[in-house]
Short mmCIF file of all heavy atoms in Angstrom, two decimals:
data_model
loop_
_atom_site.label_atom_id
_atom_site.label_comp_id
_atom_site.label_asym_id
_atom_site.label_seq_id
_atom_site.Cartn_x
_atom_site.Cartn_y
_atom_site.Cartn_z
N MET A 23 23.28 -10.31 33.51
CA MET A 23 22.98 -10.32 32.10
C MET A 23 24.07 -11.09 31.36
O MET A 23 25.23 -11.03 31.72
CB MET A 23 22.95 -8.91 31.54
CG MET A 23 21.71 -8.14 31.85
SD MET A 23 20.28 -8.97 31.23
CE MET A 23 19.48 -7.70 30.39
N TYR A 24 23.64 -11.78 30.32
CA TYR A 24 24.56 -12.54 29.49
C TYR A 24 24.42 -12.08 28.05
O TYR A 24 23.32 -11.76 27.60
CB TYR A 24 24.26 -14.04 29.57
CG TYR A 24 24.52 -14.62 30.93
CD1 TYR A 24 23.52 -14.65 31.89
CD2 TYR A 24 25.77 -15.12 31.26
CE1 TYR A 24 23.75 -15.18 33.14
CE2 TYR A 24 26.01 -15.65 32.51
CZ TYR A 24 25.00 -15.68 33.45
OH TYR A 24 25.23 -16.19 34.69
N GLY A 25 25.53 -12.04 27.35
CA GLY A 25 25.53 -11.71 25.94
C GLY A 25 26.05 -12.88 25.14
O GLY A 25 27.05 -13.50 25.51
N LEU A 26 25.37 -13.21 24.06
CA LEU A 26 25.79 -14.29 23.19
C LEU A 26 26.32 -13.66 21.91
O LEU A 26 25.60 -12.96 21.21
CB LEU A 26 24.61 -15.22 22.89
CG LEU A 26 24.99 -16.42 22.07
CD1 LEU A 26 24.68 -17.69 22.85
CD2 LEU A 26 24.26 -16.43 20.76
N TYR A 27 27.59 -13.90 21.63
CA TYR A 27 28.26 -13.35 20.47
C TYR A 27 28.56 -14.47 19.48
O TYR A 27 28.93 -15.58 19.89
CB TYR A 27 29.58 -12.70 20.87
CG TYR A 27 29.41 -11.46 21.71
CD1 TYR A 27 29.21 -11.55 23.08
CD2 TYR A 27 29.45 -10.20 21.14
CE1 TYR A 27 29.04 -10.42 23.86
CE2 TYR A 27 29.28 -9.06 21.90
CZ TYR A 27 29.08 -9.18 23.27
OH TYR A 27 28.92 -8.06 24.03
N ASP A 28 28.42 -14.19 18.19
CA ASP A 28 28.77 -15.20 17.20
C ASP A 28 30.28 -15.17 16.95
O ASP A 28 31.00 -14.37 17.55
CB ASP A 28 27.96 -15.04 15.91
CG ASP A 28 28.27 -13.78 15.14
OD1 ASP A 28 29.28 -13.12 15.41
OD2 ASP A 28 27.46 -13.44 14.24
N LYS A 29 30.76 -16.06 16.09
CA LYS A 29 32.21 -16.18 15.89
C LYS A 29 32.82 -14.96 15.22
O LYS A 29 34.03 -14.77 15.27
CB LYS A 29 32.54 -17.45 15.10
CG LYS A 29 32.01 -17.48 13.69
CD LYS A 29 32.34 -18.79 13.02
CE LYS A 29 31.79 -18.82 11.61
NZ LYS A 29 32.11 -20.08 10.95
N GLU A 30 32.00 -14.09 14.63
CA GLU A 30 32.50 -12.84 14.06
C GLU A 30 32.54 -11.72 15.10
O GLU A 30 32.92 -10.60 14.80
CB GLU A 30 31.65 -12.40 12.86
CG GLU A 30 31.92 -13.18 11.59
CD GLU A 30 31.11 -14.47 11.53
OE1 GLU A 30 30.01 -14.53 12.10
OE2 GLU A 30 31.59 -15.44 10.92
N GLY A 31 32.06 -12.00 16.30
CA GLY A 31 32.07 -11.00 17.37
C GLY A 31 30.83 -10.12 17.40
O GLY A 31 30.80 -9.11 18.09
N ILE A 32 29.79 -10.53 16.69
CA ILE A 32 28.55 -9.76 16.66
C ILE A 32 27.63 -10.22 17.77
O ILE A 32 27.38 -11.42 17.93
CB ILE A 32 27.85 -9.90 15.29
CG1 ILE A 32 28.75 -9.35 14.19
CG2 ILE A 32 26.48 -9.21 15.29
CD1 ILE A 32 28.26 -9.64 12.79
N LEU A 33 27.12 -9.28 18.55
CA LEU A 33 26.18 -9.60 19.61
C LEU A 33 24.88 -10.07 19.00
O LEU A 33 24.24 -9.37 18.23
CB LEU A 33 25.94 -8.37 20.49
CG LEU A 33 24.97 -8.53 21.65
CD1 LEU A 33 25.48 -9.58 22.64
CD2 LEU A 33 24.76 -7.21 22.35
N ARG A 34 24.48 -11.29 19.33
CA ARG A 34 23.28 -11.88 18.74
C ARG A 34 22.09 -11.89 19.69
O ARG A 34 20.94 -11.86 19.26
CB ARG A 34 23.58 -13.33 18.32
CG ARG A 34 24.67 -13.49 17.29
CD ARG A 34 24.20 -13.20 15.90
NE ARG A 34 23.13 -14.04 15.47
CZ ARG A 34 23.23 -15.10 14.68
NH1 ARG A 34 24.39 -15.46 14.23
NH2 ARG A 34 22.17 -15.79 14.35
N PHE A 35 22.35 -11.95 21.02
CA PHE A 35 21.25 -12.11 21.96
C PHE A 35 21.72 -11.68 23.34
O PHE A 35 22.86 -11.92 23.72
CB PHE A 35 20.82 -13.58 21.99
CG PHE A 35 19.58 -13.86 22.78
CD1 PHE A 35 18.34 -13.54 22.29
CD2 PHE A 35 19.65 -14.47 24.02
CE1 PHE A 35 17.18 -13.81 23.02
CE2 PHE A 35 18.51 -14.75 24.75
CZ PHE A 35 17.27 -14.41 24.24
N VAL A 36 20.83 -11.04 24.12
CA VAL A 36 21.11 -10.63 25.49
C VAL A 36 19.93 -11.05 26.37
O VAL A 36 18.78 -10.85 25.98
CB VAL A 36 21.31 -9.10 25.60
CG1 VAL A 36 21.48 -8.67 27.04
CG2 VAL A 36 22.49 -8.65 24.78
N ASP A 37 20.23 -11.63 27.52
CA ASP A 37 19.17 -12.03 28.45
C ASP A 37 19.78 -12.19 29.83
O ASP A 37 20.97 -12.43 29.96
CB ASP A 37 18.54 -13.35 27.99
CG ASP A 37 17.18 -13.58 28.62
OD1 ASP A 37 17.13 -13.85 29.83
OD2 ASP A 37 16.17 -13.49 27.90
N SER A 38 18.95 -12.09 30.84
CA SER A 38 19.43 -12.29 32.21
C SER A 38 19.54 -13.77 32.54
O SER A 38 20.17 -14.14 33.53
CB SER A 38 18.51 -11.60 33.21
OG SER A 38 17.20 -12.14 33.11
N ASP A 39 18.96 -14.62 31.72
CA ASP A 39 18.98 -16.07 31.93
C ASP A 39 19.98 -16.73 31.00
O ASP A 39 19.83 -16.69 29.77
CB ASP A 39 17.57 -16.62 31.69
CG ASP A 39 17.46 -18.10 31.95
OD1 ASP A 39 18.41 -18.72 32.46
OD2 ASP A 39 16.38 -18.65 31.65
N LYS A 40 21.00 -17.34 31.58
CA LYS A 40 22.05 -18.01 30.80
C LYS A 40 21.45 -19.11 29.91
O LYS A 40 21.83 -19.27 28.75
CB LYS A 40 23.08 -18.59 31.75
CG LYS A 40 24.24 -19.28 31.09
CD LYS A 40 25.22 -19.77 32.14
CE LYS A 40 26.40 -20.47 31.53
NZ LYS A 40 27.34 -20.93 32.56
N ASP A 41 20.49 -19.86 30.45
CA ASP A 41 19.87 -20.95 29.69
C ASP A 41 19.10 -20.43 28.48
O ASP A 41 19.04 -21.10 27.45
CB ASP A 41 18.96 -21.78 30.59
CG ASP A 41 19.74 -22.57 31.63
OD1 ASP A 41 20.91 -22.91 31.38
OD2 ASP A 41 19.17 -22.85 32.70
N ALA A 42 18.52 -19.24 28.58
CA ALA A 42 17.82 -18.65 27.44
C ALA A 42 18.79 -18.33 26.31
O ALA A 42 18.47 -18.51 25.13
CB ALA A 42 17.07 -17.40 27.86
N CYS A 43 19.99 -17.88 26.66
CA CYS A 43 21.01 -17.60 25.65
C CYS A 43 21.44 -18.88 24.94
O CYS A 43 21.59 -18.90 23.72
CB CYS A 43 22.21 -16.93 26.29
SG CYS A 43 21.91 -15.25 26.87
N ILE A 44 21.61 -19.93 25.71
CA ILE A 44 22.00 -21.22 25.13
C ILE A 44 20.87 -21.76 24.25
O ILE A 44 21.12 -22.30 23.16
CB ILE A 44 22.40 -22.21 26.23
CG1 ILE A 44 23.67 -21.70 26.92
CG2 ILE A 44 22.60 -23.61 25.67
CD1 ILE A 44 24.06 -22.43 28.17
N ALA A 45 19.63 -21.59 24.68
CA ALA A 45 18.48 -22.02 23.87
C ALA A 45 18.44 -21.26 22.55
O ALA A 45 18.11 -21.83 21.51
CB ALA A 45 17.18 -21.83 24.65
N TYR A 46 18.77 -19.97 22.59
CA TYR A 46 18.83 -19.17 21.36
C TYR A 46 19.86 -19.75 20.39
O TYR A 46 19.60 -19.91 19.21
CB TYR A 46 19.17 -17.72 21.69
CG TYR A 46 19.35 -16.83 20.49
CD1 TYR A 46 18.28 -16.11 19.98
CD2 TYR A 46 20.58 -16.71 19.85
CE1 TYR A 46 18.43 -15.30 18.87
CE2 TYR A 46 20.74 -15.90 18.74
CZ TYR A 46 19.67 -15.19 18.25
OH TYR A 46 19.82 -14.41 17.14
N ALA A 47 21.04 -20.08 20.93
CA ALA A 47 22.10 -20.65 20.10
C ALA A 47 21.64 -21.97 19.48
O ALA A 47 21.89 -22.22 18.29
CB ALA A 47 23.36 -20.86 20.93
N GLU A 48 20.97 -22.80 20.26
CA GLU A 48 20.47 -24.07 19.75
C GLU A 48 19.40 -23.86 18.69
O GLU A 48 19.37 -24.57 17.68
CB GLU A 48 19.93 -24.92 20.89
CG GLU A 48 21.02 -25.42 21.82
CD GLU A 48 20.49 -26.12 23.05
OE1 GLU A 48 19.25 -26.17 23.25
OE2 GLU A 48 21.32 -26.60 23.84
N LEU A 49 18.52 -22.88 18.91
CA LEU A 49 17.46 -22.59 17.95
C LEU A 49 18.02 -22.25 16.58
O LEU A 49 17.51 -22.68 15.55
CB LEU A 49 16.58 -21.44 18.46
CG LEU A 49 15.47 -20.98 17.54
CD1 LEU A 49 14.41 -22.07 17.39
CD2 LEU A 49 14.84 -19.71 18.08
N PHE A 50 19.09 -21.47 16.57
CA PHE A 50 19.69 -21.05 15.30
C PHE A 50 20.88 -21.93 14.91
O PHE A 50 21.67 -21.57 14.05
CB PHE A 50 20.09 -19.58 15.37
CG PHE A 50 18.90 -18.67 15.36
CD1 PHE A 50 18.38 -18.17 16.53
CD2 PHE A 50 18.27 -18.35 14.16
CE1 PHE A 50 17.25 -17.36 16.52
CE2 PHE A 50 17.14 -17.54 14.14
CZ PHE A 50 16.63 -17.05 15.33
N GLU A 51 20.96 -23.10 15.56
CA GLU A 51 21.96 -24.12 15.24
C GLU A 51 23.38 -23.58 15.27
O GLU A 51 24.20 -23.90 14.42
CB GLU A 51 21.63 -24.78 13.90
CG GLU A 51 20.29 -25.47 13.92
CD GLU A 51 19.90 -26.09 12.59
OE1 GLU A 51 20.61 -25.91 11.58
OE2 GLU A 51 18.85 -26.76 12.57
N LEU A 52 23.66 -22.75 16.28
CA LEU A 52 25.02 -22.27 16.49
C LEU A 52 25.72 -23.27 17.40
O LEU A 52 25.36 -23.41 18.57
CB LEU A 52 25.02 -20.88 17.16
CG LEU A 52 24.38 -19.75 16.39
CD1 LEU A 52 24.30 -18.51 17.27
CD2 LEU A 52 25.15 -19.45 15.13
N GLY A 53 26.69 -24.00 16.87
CA GLY A 53 27.42 -24.94 17.70
C GLY A 53 28.28 -24.20 18.71
O GLY A 53 28.59 -23.02 18.55
N SER A 54 28.67 -24.89 19.77
CA SER A 54 29.44 -24.24 20.83
C SER A 54 30.76 -23.66 20.35
O SER A 54 31.30 -22.76 20.96
CB SER A 54 29.67 -25.20 21.99
OG SER A 54 30.42 -26.32 21.55
N ALA A 55 31.26 -24.15 19.21
CA ALA A 55 32.49 -23.60 18.64
C ALA A 55 32.22 -22.32 17.86
O ALA A 55 33.15 -21.62 17.46
CB ALA A 55 33.16 -24.63 17.73
N ASN A 56 30.94 -21.98 17.66
CA ASN A 56 30.57 -20.83 16.84
C ASN A 56 29.99 -19.67 17.63
O ASN A 56 29.50 -18.71 17.04
CB ASN A 56 29.58 -21.26 15.76
CG ASN A 56 30.22 -22.19 14.76
OD1 ASN A 56 31.37 -22.01 14.39
ND2 ASN A 56 29.49 -23.19 14.33
N TYR A 57 29.98 -19.76 18.96
CA TYR A 57 29.49 -18.64 19.75
C TYR A 57 30.26 -18.54 21.06
O TYR A 57 30.93 -19.48 21.47
CB TYR A 57 27.99 -18.73 20.01
CG TYR A 57 27.57 -19.81 20.99
CD1 TYR A 57 27.58 -19.58 22.37
CD2 TYR A 57 27.13 -21.05 20.55
CE1 TYR A 57 27.19 -20.55 23.27
CE2 TYR A 57 26.73 -22.03 21.43
CZ TYR A 57 26.77 -21.77 22.80
OH TYR A 57 26.38 -22.74 23.67
N CYS A 58 30.14 -17.38 21.67
CA CYS A 58 30.78 -17.12 22.96
C CYS A 58 29.72 -16.51 23.87
O CYS A 58 29.05 -15.55 23.50
CB CYS A 58 31.94 -16.16 22.77
SG CYS A 58 32.80 -15.76 24.28
N LEU A 59 29.58 -17.07 25.06
CA LEU A 59 28.62 -16.56 26.04
C LEU A 59 29.39 -15.82 27.12
O LEU A 59 30.26 -16.39 27.77
CB LEU A 59 27.83 -17.72 26.64
CG LEU A 59 26.71 -17.39 27.58
CD1 LEU A 59 25.64 -16.55 26.88
CD2 LEU A 59 26.09 -18.65 28.14
N ILE A 60 29.09 -14.53 27.28
CA ILE A 60 29.83 -13.68 28.21
C ILE A 60 28.87 -13.06 29.21
O ILE A 60 27.81 -12.54 28.85
CB ILE A 60 30.58 -12.57 27.45
CG1 ILE A 60 31.60 -13.19 26.51
CG2 ILE A 60 31.25 -11.60 28.41
CD1 ILE A 60 32.32 -12.19 25.63
N GLU A 61 29.26 -13.10 30.48
CA GLU A 61 28.48 -12.42 31.51
C GLU A 61 28.79 -10.93 31.42
O GLU A 61 29.96 -10.52 31.48
CB GLU A 61 28.81 -12.96 32.89
CG GLU A 61 27.90 -12.41 33.96
CD GLU A 61 28.07 -13.10 35.30
OE1 GLU A 61 28.97 -13.94 35.44
OE2 GLU A 61 27.30 -12.78 36.21
N LEU A 62 27.77 -10.12 31.23
CA LEU A 62 27.93 -8.68 31.07
C LEU A 62 27.90 -7.99 32.43
O LEU A 62 27.29 -8.49 33.37
CB LEU A 62 26.82 -8.12 30.18
CG LEU A 62 26.73 -8.76 28.78
CD1 LEU A 62 25.51 -8.23 28.05
CD2 LEU A 62 28.00 -8.50 27.99
N ALA A 63 28.52 -6.85 32.53
CA ALA A 63 28.56 -6.09 33.78
C ALA A 63 27.16 -5.66 34.16
O ALA A 63 26.34 -5.32 33.33
CB ALA A 63 29.45 -4.87 33.63
N ASN A 64 26.91 -5.63 35.45
CA ASN A 64 25.62 -5.21 35.97
C ASN A 64 25.70 -3.70 36.23
O ASN A 64 26.52 -3.23 37.00
CB ASN A 64 25.32 -5.95 37.27
CG ASN A 64 23.91 -5.75 37.74
OD1 ASN A 64 23.20 -4.89 37.25
ND2 ASN A 64 23.50 -6.54 38.69
N ASP A 65 24.84 -2.93 35.56
CA ASP A 65 24.86 -1.47 35.67
C ASP A 65 24.02 -0.92 36.82
O ASP A 65 23.93 0.28 36.99
CB ASP A 65 24.37 -0.83 34.36
CG ASP A 65 25.38 -1.00 33.24
OD1 ASP A 65 26.55 -1.30 33.54
OD2 ASP A 65 24.99 -0.82 32.08
N LYS A 66 23.40 -1.79 37.60
CA LYS A 66 22.57 -1.31 38.71
C LYS A 66 23.45 -0.66 39.75
O LYS A 66 24.50 -1.14 40.11
CB LYS A 66 21.81 -2.47 39.35
CG LYS A 66 20.76 -3.06 38.45
CD LYS A 66 20.00 -4.17 39.16
CE LYS A 66 18.96 -4.78 38.24
NZ LYS A 66 18.29 -5.89 38.90
N LYS A 67 22.98 0.47 40.26
CA LYS A 67 23.71 1.20 41.29
C LYS A 67 22.93 1.11 42.59
O LYS A 67 21.70 1.24 42.59
CB LYS A 67 23.91 2.65 40.89
CG LYS A 67 24.81 2.81 39.68
CD LYS A 67 25.01 4.26 39.32
CE LYS A 67 25.90 4.37 38.10
NZ LYS A 67 26.12 5.73 37.72
N ASN A 68 23.64 0.89 43.66
CA ASN A 68 22.99 0.85 44.97
C ASN A 68 22.60 2.27 45.40
O ASN A 68 23.41 3.18 45.34
CB ASN A 68 23.93 0.25 46.02
CG ASN A 68 24.19 -1.22 45.77
OD1 ASN A 68 23.37 -1.91 45.19
ND2 ASN A 68 25.34 -1.70 46.20
N LYS A 69 21.37 2.42 45.80
CA LYS A 69 20.91 3.71 46.30
C LYS A 69 20.66 3.57 47.79
O LYS A 69 19.99 2.65 48.22
CB LYS A 69 19.63 4.14 45.58
CG LYS A 69 19.86 4.42 44.11
CD LYS A 69 18.59 4.87 43.44
CE LYS A 69 18.83 5.15 41.97
NZ LYS A 69 17.63 5.57 41.28
N GLY A 70 21.21 4.45 48.57
CA GLY A 70 21.05 4.28 49.98
C GLY A 70 20.90 5.53 50.66
O GLY A 70 20.77 6.38 51.20
#
């Protein structure tokens, strides 16, 4: 999962596809200097 945060630190978008997050930023005209894309921790637990 990836989280896209704006320059104020507000989470704007979450998706498992990195390209979808970048497309979101482009859609709302967020330049690369105005957002941060962070890979979020995976909460899935192995069951065995």
Side-chain angles (χ1 to χ4, degrees):
M23 283 302 229
Y24 294 90
L26 184 120
Y27 293 83
D28 67 14
K29 64 182 179 180
E30 283 85 29
I32 298 171
L33 180 61
R34 299 281 300 259
F35 188 75
V36 175
D37 199 289
S38 60
D39 183 8
K40 182 178 180 180
D41 291 333
C43 291
I44 294 170
Y46 176 92
E48 291 173 356
L49 177 67
F50 289 97
E51 299 178 354
L52 298 173
S54 61
N56 294 321
Y57 72 85
C58 180
L59 185 61
I60 298 176
E61 188 171 5
L62 303 174
N64 190 347
D65 289 343
K66 292 182 181 177
K67 294 181 181 180
N68 293 332
K69 294 182 180 179

